[in-house]
Amino acid sequence: MTEADESYLAEFAGKKRILVRNKTDLPEKINLPQNPAVPVVSVCCVNGQGIEQLKDAIKELVWTGEITAEMLQVTINSRHQDALNRARAMTRQATDALRAGATLELVAMDLRIAANAVGEIVGKTTTEDMLDSIFSTFCIGK
């Protein structure tokens, strides 16, 4: 591990996290710190080995309340940011239309556009489908 890796691990030592070791199809080159409070999940994006264990580890932290919204640091790509901005704009437009007394059909159309914008990001609505979608578009690595 590099000095930057060590620094990063130290910086987040007190946070709930999962360490992910990628490229398990190759010989192991680093020794990750052993800490029972910090799960280490090994994955291989080439053959999918370990992806289910990673999903399970993420679900375990999220569903047990170990991770709160305030703890999440999210990085989104520009396409996702654009979709969220469109969804917000259409939601605000629907709210303004309701306040102005617009017909419910017009408000519903604005809300449908907003929902479709969010749908561009998540695609499907079930937890399993969303996780599959997320992991199919992200490259998991260092």
Side-chain angles (χ1 to χ4, degrees):
M1 289 200 326
T2 67
E3 209 171 286
D5 295 330
E6 295 284 350
S7 174
Y8 186 77
L9 286 174
E11 179 181 347
F12 294 98
K15 306 249 184 209
K16 294 290 183 184
R17 62 193 177 178
I18 301 167
L19 295 180
V20 180
R21 187 177 77 82
N22 191 19
K23 301 186 181 192
T24 57
D25 55 324
L26 302 176
E28 188 173 335
K29 292 185 177 182
I30 62 171
N31 292 319
L32 292 174
Q34 298 300 311
N35 180 345
V38 180
V40 176
V41 179
S42 297
V43 299
C44 175
C45 293
V46 172
N47 62 23
Q49 180 183 3
I51 297 296
E52 289 304 315
Q53 290 83 356
L54 179 58
K55 289 179 185 180
D56 291 342
I58 292 169
K59 283 188 235 178
E60 179 68 24
L61 281 179
V62 172
W63 300 144
T64 60
E66 296 291 327
I67 295 180
T68 62
E70 297 80 35
M71 296 167 63
L72 296 176
Q73 294 179 346
V74 178
T75 303
I76 60 174
N77 66 34
S78 61
R79 185 178 61 81
H80 291 171
Q81 185 173 4
D82 177 60
L84 290 173
N85 285 334
R86 284 185 284 120
R88 179 177 51 196
M90 294 311 294
T91 302
R92 286 181 177 162
Q93 184 171 316
T95 302
D96 292 343
L98 277 173
R99 289 184 180 139
T103 65
L104 293 179
E105 289 84 8
L106 292 175
V107 173
M109 187 171 60
D110 290 342
L111 291 175
R112 186 174 296 115
I113 293 169
N116 287 341
V118 173
E120 291 175 22
I121 299 168
V122 298
K124 299 172 184 169
T125 57
T126 67
T127 303
E128 287 295 322
D129 290 336
M130 273 198 279
L131 288 172
D132 287 339
S133 176
I134 290 168
F135 285 105
S136 71
T137 58
F138 284 10
C139 175
I140 301 172
K142 179 178 170 188

